[in-house]
Amino acid sequence: MTFARFKELFRQTLTDPRGAGLEVIALQLPVQALWMALMLTSVLLSLMVSALFHSAPLPGDEMGELIRMSPAYRAPLVFAIINWVQAVVSVFVLHWIGRGLGGQGEMPDMLAVLIWLQVVSLAMAVVLFVVGLVLPLLGGLAMIVAFLWGIWATVALIDAANRFDNMGKALGTCVLAVLAVSIGMTILSALLAGLGLRGA
């Protein structure tokens, strides 16, 4: 992909994420390269979050203490690995649920659009960070807009990957995926806690 093509896809993603997702899928990138790209983008995003936590003074209240105790602040590498694992799980869960709701996409399609979403999110995070340093008030408003855009773009890209005929199914896929991952993480945490108690 040339830099000019990258910029064109980036601009299209901001206004027509579903169309951009279909363009990314049409590139037919090698699956092995996509898995490597998923790991790279997940790690970069995680390290950027950690860098943001360390670059700004933390509040002295409970929120600040929670940030200090989080893996993102105390163990950036562990935080990056956790996010990478969650990204891999998300690819499979979103694909399986999408198939269950009548989607026609393939696993590499879901993988490609999620990677592209992370690439765009990474670029936007850099811009928002710079804007926040120069104009804090504008940066705060931009973060709210970016959050709302992120929800819309995620649903649209999931719609593209599953070849749905309406955005409602894509939204349902996202909601069910969040619930499935949350329940799975809760069960896993409970099992790990149980093993810890037995070991003690």
Side-chain angles (χ1 to χ4, degrees):
M1 181 189 297
T2 64
F3 185 65
R5 180 59 175 154
F6 176 88
K7 290 194 299 182
E8 180 184 346
L9 271 177
F10 187 89
R11 286 195 296 266
Q12 183 180 5
T13 305
L14 296 179
T15 57
D16 179 22
R18 188 183 190 281
L22 292 174
E23 292 286 341
V24 170
I25 292 171
L27 293 174
Q28 294 292 304
L29 299 172
V31 176
Q32 186 175 9
L34 288 174
W35 284 117
M36 293 178 63
L38 181 67
M39 179 177 64
L40 178 61
T41 54
S42 298
V43 170
L44 287 176
L45 275 172
S46 302
L47 294 180
M48 172 168 287
V49 172
S50 298
L52 289 175
F53 283 161
H54 283 86
S55 63
L58 298 179
D61 56 9
E62 293 182 2
M63 180 59 69
E65 186 61 25
L66 286 175
I67 293 176
R68 290 185 185 91
M69 296 300 295
S70 69
Y73 188 84
R74 300 183 63 183
L77 184 57
V78 173
F79 180 63
I81 293 173
I82 291 173
N83 280 346
W84 172 65
V85 172
Q86 289 179 338
V88 172
V89 171
S90 297
V91 171
F92 286 98
V93 172
L94 287 167
H95 173 67
W96 289 335
I97 293 177
R99 279 286 194 172
L101 294 178
Q104 301 298 316
E106 302 295 335
M107 182 73 72
D109 301 339
M110 185 64 67
L111 182 57
V113 299
L114 290 183
I115 291 170
W116 180 244
L117 178 63
Q118 289 198 352
V119 169
V120 174
S121 298
L122 181 62
M124 292 180 66
V126 172
V127 174
L128 289 174
F129 178 69
V130 174
V131 172
L133 288 177
V134 179
L135 300 169
L137 180 58
L138 181 60
L141 294 174
M143 287 183 63
I144 296 174
V145 173
F147 174 76
L148 296 175
W149 173 88
I151 296 175
W152 171 56
T154 299
V155 174
L157 288 169
I158 299 305
D159 185 60
N162 283 302
R163 308 293 203 282
F164 286 137
D165 52 5
N166 65 77
M167 294 280 283
K169 288 184 179 180
L171 179 60
T173 298
C174 292
V175 172
L176 290 174
V178 170
L179 291 175
V181 172
S182 299
I183 293 172
M185 293 300 294
T186 301
I187 294 174
L188 179 61
S189 298
L191 290 174
L192 292 176
L195 291 175
L197 291 175
R198 286 185 180 182

